[in-house]
Every structure is written in structure tokens, then in C-alpha cells.
Amino acid sequence: MKPFFFLFFLFPLFAGVAQSPSYDKSGFFEIELQSLQAYFHIPGLAVLVQKDDKIIYENYMGFADLETNRPVDAQTVFPIMSLSKTFASTLCLQMADEGILDLGTSIQTWLPESKLPSSVTLQHLLSHTSEGVPGTTFNYSSRYSLISSVLEKVSGKPYEEILQERIITPLGLSHTLPLVNQQIIDSLGSSLASPYYFYGKTEKGHFDTGLSAASGLSSTPRDLATFLQGLDEGKLLAATSRQRQMTAYQNPDGDPLPYGLGIFSQNWEGKKLVWGYGQEDCFSSLLLSIPEDGTSLILLANNNLMSDPARLINGDIRYSLFALAFLKHFVYSQDDWSLPTLITSDYLEESPPSASDKPFDRQILLANALAASFLGQGFPEEGEKSKALTLALLKHFQDIKKYGTISTLHLLSVLCEQEDDPQLVSYFLALGKYLIDKQADNPYSNIYMAFFYKGQNNPEKALPYFQAIVDAENYRPFWYTIEAWYELGMYYRVSQPGKARTYMQNIIDLGWNIGSKLVLAKQALKDWE
């Protein structure tokens, strides 16, 4: 492994291709896709790029099943996970157009058993703004799954039947179906991509079953392209409703949030990016459209590394190296990019040339650093690479508040865990405090700050951040809640034993063994008897 040096402007893999009349965008995109597939250890990858109603690039790479060497092809079906959300939002908007339901109606009207605040509406669920003060902040929430129950109540039909009648059959989506149980999976046989884990090595994984508005559908790139085309051509929604679906939800101050209705929406350098992703333990998916250009990307993979390293749950597609490769070759001008999409050790130079101030290069560095920090959990050299790229980035783009996001904070938190670098720590703390000032109850900002101080053996400073997570109103318990309950329980076990027991009992009552916290909570209560 070559040593890592500070880097900012790398001699690009495709330097000068923008000026060449023979520039083959599909060819260069394919080369970068192959590199990304290998880097993220993805067994099989299905990709399609569509321009208006025409497929301009399509490829099936690697294996649907490694044991039998069965290749991925156009008929290979993949679970699409959270891309199912756009199907659900389409159904809601259809019924709204028909006057069957009102998106502004309280969820309590249909689902009183949900015990959600009466101020939470269907539109809040669709836009992931149901947590905290409804309609004011974005937090990607599993509450989205309640939407299928609402649709069933309104229509009097099972959700699977509604999907079939209103979307799948009218569009002829012959390879799109819900994976509701193991029998369906068995019936698909060799047409279904096999699941794989990657934790340092590739291993056979498992399927998740069940259907809701949030997840559960399986499909192919061609079927998803047909679905997108049906939306854009008005076969499923009126033009105004389609536009509403793709428009970023605004908080009461008029600030755009990252999500529309059932799909992400953000602006970057003059382009509107409409996108969605899916992620389970053994699969990942990505859909990215540029409405003004009529160009779309669809990617399906049979491990989770197309999505997980990019922290797409935070609502920023620019941290996806797959998305950046597509945007570089099919959307933006080549003159705007100086770096290869995937930065490897081979591109790190001992004497770095002049720095680039292009926002595209900045984002490539951020995305590469975040991906390397994820892979650094199993490969130490990737952790080195992540630090080198991050320090190079900070050397040139010093005002981290101008571009830093929750994903940037996550990157810095991982690096600060690995070693006590004063420069990284100062940037981490500056960004963390800035983001918490903007949104005091954001669980991700708080958990990263809490774990930083815990790692510094400073429980007093960690305490208020853990406390902010458990005290935040109208947030559904998630992994960060369990971590906070446990840490607070351990903190108060001597000074306030009753309080400590309550926190541990919360973990037990929830019943999720995330990070073995359920086992540890039970053991703690037993030890305290």
C-alpha cells in the first residue's frame, strides 16, 4: 500500500475527454461503474440510464448468484426496498386527485391506534416531517409504513391489491411484485438475485419479507424505467400532482427540506435532483432523475454497499459515488470536474498540484472520504485514505459551516474515533455545535456529539447530548434512542438508581437487541437487584 499524502487536485483519469469529439459518455461511465462495483464488493449490479422515453445505456454486471455463477440479466429481479415509497406516494396522490382522501388530514382520523399526535397528517408521513414538531424538520422515519394502512382503510382493499390495480397492471410491470413471504421468494427461483453480506468478505445473506408503503416490492431496471415514464407522461398522476410529488417540502419558514412526497428532492449547481434509495442488509437500490433534462438513472445491487456507505438516510445524494459518476457523464459539463469519481491510492501524488475550487471536486472528496471511512471498519488502509482526503479537503475548504452536513459530521466522528487529531476534532466540534444550533433535537447530531465525548472519557459533556435524544418529543425510538437510554442508565445507576432502571426497562420493553443493548440492559437490572 502506498503512503497517503495531502491531495487536492489529482490528475484525472479522463483528463481532456470533454474536448474530444469521440468522447463516449457511456463508455467512461461503465469504466467507473466497474471500479465502484469492485471497490464496494458488489456481486451483481443492474444499471439503466434513460433519456425521455429511450434507454441510452443498459448493463448487467456480475452475478445474481455466486454459488452457481448465474449472471445478472434484464430479467433478474431485485428487492427495491424503500424505492417502494414512491409507489405508495403515487397511490396517495391519485386518491387525492380523485377526492378520496385529503393529504392534510390527521393520521388519527384513520389510525387512532397509532397514538400519533393529532397534528401529524398524512402529508407529514409522506414528507418524513412527522417527527419533532410536525412539518418543521426532516427525519427519515419508519412511520411511513403506516401509509399502507391508511390506503387500505380508505379503499377497503388490501394494499397489495391496490398496487396491482392502480400501478402494476395498468403499466404492465410484469417483473414487479411484492415479496410478502418465503413462498413468493421460492416461486421466483433463479429469476431472483441472491442476497449477500459483506463484512470483510462476501457471504450468503437473507431476504426480508413483508409489504408496506415503506418497503417490500421487487422489480427490474426496465420495470422501474416504465414506472418513471408512466409518472412523467401523466399515465398515473395529473401534472400538478407529479410536480407536487417531486417538490421539496418546505418548513413554516419557507426553507426547503430534503424530501418531497415519497421521494427526495434537492438542488445542486443549477439542477434539480429527484432521487430515492433502498437499503437492507443484503440489497441496495438507487433511482436518480433530472426532470429538466428528462434523464434518469436506475441501479439495483445484491449487497447493501451501494447505499450504506453514503449515509443516504441523511437526504443528500451527493455523497453517493454512483450518483456522482452518473451526474459527471450524463448531466453536467465535463469541464466542471477535475477528479476521477473513485479516488484510489494510485492517484495520491507525493507533490500535490494546485488546489481546485470546483464544488464538484469538493463533493467527490467528501464522498470518497465518507466511503473510505465506512470500509475502514474492515480495512485499515481505507481509514488512512479517509483521513488523508478529509485533511486535504479541510485544508482548502476551511469554512465547514458553508458546506458541512450531517453526513460530513458522521465522517468526522468516525475519524475522531480512530485517533485524536486536533485539527479533525476542532472541525468536528465546530460543525456539530453549528448543526445543533440549527436543530437542537436532531438525533444524529446529538448522538455523534455524545459518542465523541464518551470516547474522550468525558461523561459529563456527553450527558446533555444523550439527554436531548431521549427528551425530544414526538420521535419514534430508533437505534440512537436505545444507545442513549443505555448510556443514561449506566450514568445514573449510582446517583439516581430509579431513573437508571427506567431507562434500562425502556430498552427491554422495546425489545430490540441493537448492539446487544437488550441483553446488556437485562443483565444490568439483574446486577442491580
Side-chain angles (χ1 to χ4, degrees):
M1 179 61 62
K2 295 182 180 179
F4 292 101
F5 299 89
F6 283 158
L7 148 79
F8 212 83
F9 184 91
L10 298 172
F11 186 78
L13 178 62
F14 306 127
V17 295
Q19 315 306 323
S20 171
S22 61
Y23 169 58
D24 175 13
K25 64 176 68 176
S26 294
F28 288 125
F29 177 57
E30 183 170 315
I31 291 170
E32 293 202 326
L33 271 184
Q34 290 170 341
S35 297
L36 291 170
Q37 182 184 13
Y39 181 65
F40 290 110
H41 305 271
I42 297 174
L45 188 65
V47 55
L48 184 149
V49 177
Q50 185 167 264
K51 174 74 172 176
D52 299 322
D53 61 348
K54 295 181 180 179
I55 295 174
I56 60 174
Y57 177 76
E58 185 177 15
N59 202 354
Y60 300 93
M61 305 159 64
F63 297 99
D65 188 272
L66 292 173
E67 286 69 27
T68 63
N69 290 329
R70 172 166 53 92
V72 177
D73 61 29
Q75 283 71 50
T76 303
V77 175
F78 290 79
I80 64 170
M81 297 76 66
S82 283
L83 291 187
S84 306
K85 289 179 169 66
T86 310
F87 285 73
S89 75
T90 299
L91 294 173
C92 289
L93 287 164
Q94 280 182 349
M95 293 186 187
D97 286 343
E98 296 165 11
I100 297 175
L101 57 75
D102 181 347
L103 303 190
T105 301
S106 170
I107 292 299
Q108 283 285 338
T109 302
W110 298 294
L111 305 174
E113 67 277 11
S114 69
K115 299 181 180 179
L116 294 182
S118 60
S119 55
V120 174
T121 68
L122 178 57
Q123 184 164 264
H124 293 144
L125 294 189
L126 285 165
S127 58
H128 286 298
T129 60
S130 73
E131 299 194 353
V133 179
T136 64
T137 57
F138 164 83
N139 195 54
Y140 200 80
S141 175
S142 61
R143 288 176 176 175
Y144 200 102
S145 62
L146 296 173
I147 294 170
S148 40
S149 297
V150 171
L151 293 172
E152 289 180 336
K153 287 275 183 83
V154 169
S155 67
K157 297 178 180 180
Y159 182 60
E160 183 177 354
E161 186 176 330
I162 306 169
L163 279 168
Q164 194 71 44
E165 290 182 355
R166 286 178 169 264
I167 298 178
I168 295 174
T169 297
L171 293 181
L173 305 182
S174 57
H175 292 89
T176 300
L177 72 165
L179 300 179
V180 293
N181 52 44
Q182 187 61 44
Q183 288 72 28
I184 294 292
I185 291 172
D186 293 341
S187 70
L188 288 171
S190 61
S191 65
L192 187 61
S194 295
Y196 292 97
Y197 301 108
F198 182 79
Y199 299 110
K201 66 177 182 178
T202 296
E203 298 179 354
K204 194 68 174 286
H206 72 279
F207 288 101
D208 290 296
T209 58
L211 175 67
S212 74
S215 189
L217 286 175
S218 63
S219 193
T220 64
R222 289 184 183 179
D223 265 18
L224 290 174
T226 300
F227 173 58
L228 278 180
Q229 189 177 342
L231 285 169
D232 293 336
E233 293 179 352
K235 294 178 180 177
L236 297 174
L237 292 176
T240 53
S241 292
R242 173 59 171 154
Q243 190 60 39
R244 185 181 181 187
Q245 185 179 47
M246 298 188 296
T247 300
Y249 192 89
Q250 293 187 346
N251 66 19
D253 294 328
D255 300 321
L257 301 176
Y259 210 74
L261 300 179
I263 197 161
F264 289 93
S265 180
Q266 68 185 109
N267 293 312
W268 188 37
E269 296 300 312
K271 299 285 187 180
K272 182 176 182 177
L273 314 180
V274 177
W275 61 279
Y277 83 102
Q279 179 185 313
E280 288 175 352
D281 290 340
C282 305
F283 290 97
S284 47
S285 59
L286 183 67
L287 183 156
L288 171 57
S289 293
I290 317 300
E292 65 190 87
D293 297 344
T295 308
S296 300
L297 166 72
I298 297 164
L299 280 166
L300 303 174
N302 58 347
N303 77 10
N304 75 340
L305 296 187
M306 194 169 65
S307 296
D308 202 1
R311 299 298 301 163
L312 295 179
I313 194 172
N314 293 329
D316 196 339
I317 190 63
R318 300 173 304 164
Y319 285 84
S320 165
L321 293 172
F322 293 91
L324 291 177
F326 164 72
L327 293 171
K328 176 197 291 188
H329 296 296
F330 290 97
V331 179
Y332 295 99
S333 168
Q334 283 290 305
D335 293 335
D336 293 329
W337 307 76
S338 299
L339 298 176
T341 301
L342 179 62
I343 298 174
T344 66
S345 58
D346 293 336
Y347 296 109
L348 296 173
E349 303 290 343
E350 294 189 21
S351 301
S354 301
S356 165
D357 60 358
K358 295 180 179 180
F360 298 97
D361 290 346
R362 182 185 71 196
Q363 201 58 43
I364 280 182
L365 287 170
L366 278 167
N368 273 275
L370 185 61
S373 75
F374 183 94
L375 293 176
Q377 299 171 66
F379 301 97
E381 64 273 18
E382 287 296 316
E384 290 182 49
K385 173 180 158 185
S386 179
K387 180 180 177 181
L389 292 172
T390 303
L391 289 174
L393 174 89
L394 296 173
K395 183 178 181 180
H396 189 65
F397 297 102
Q398 296 182 10
D399 191 353
I400 198 169
K401 296 176 185 177
K402 285 187 176 180
Y403 63 88
T405 66
I406 296 291
S407 296
T408 317
L409 189 67
H410 175 78
L411 164 65
L412 292 170
S413 73
V414 172
L415 293 174
C416 288
E417 284 178 13
Q418 294 171 352
E419 57 183 284
D420 189 12
D421 184 298
Q423 184 179 3
L424 292 174
V425 167
S426 66
Y427 277 104
F428 169 78
L429 292 175
L431 181 58
K433 291 174 182 176
Y434 170 73
L435 293 174
I436 288 175
D437 284 344
K438 288 177 64 177
Q439 185 189 344
D441 62 355
N442 185 284
Y444 292 101
S445 300
N446 279 290
I447 199 69
Y448 297 147
M449 293 291 283
F451 277 137
F452 169 77
Y453 284 117
K454 180 189 175 186
Q456 297 285 311
N457 295 316
N458 194 334
E460 296 297 331
K461 283 195 172 183
L463 178 66
Y465 297 108
F466 284 126
Q467 200 70 54
I469 293 170
V470 302
D471 288 347
E473 296 183 5
N474 187 32
Y475 277 86
R476 188 178 188 276
F478 200 33
W479 66 268
Y480 39 70
T481 322
I482 295 170
E483 294 286 358
W485 279 335
Y486 182 79
E487 295 299 333
L488 290 172
M490 296 303 292
Y491 181 87
Y492 287 117
R493 66 187 184 277
V494 175
S495 62
Q496 299 185 54
K499 192 173 187 178
R501 287 178 176 276
T502 297
Y503 287 131
M504 293 301 184
Q505 190 61 50
N506 287 344
I507 298 173
I508 294 169
D509 291 344
L510 190 62
W512 299 354
N513 195 31
I514 293 177
S516 300
K517 290 299 186 293
L518 178 60
V519 174
L520 292 172
K522 289 179 178 179
Q523 186 62 48
L525 288 183
K526 183 178 180 181
D527 293 343
W528 298 345
E529 289 178 355

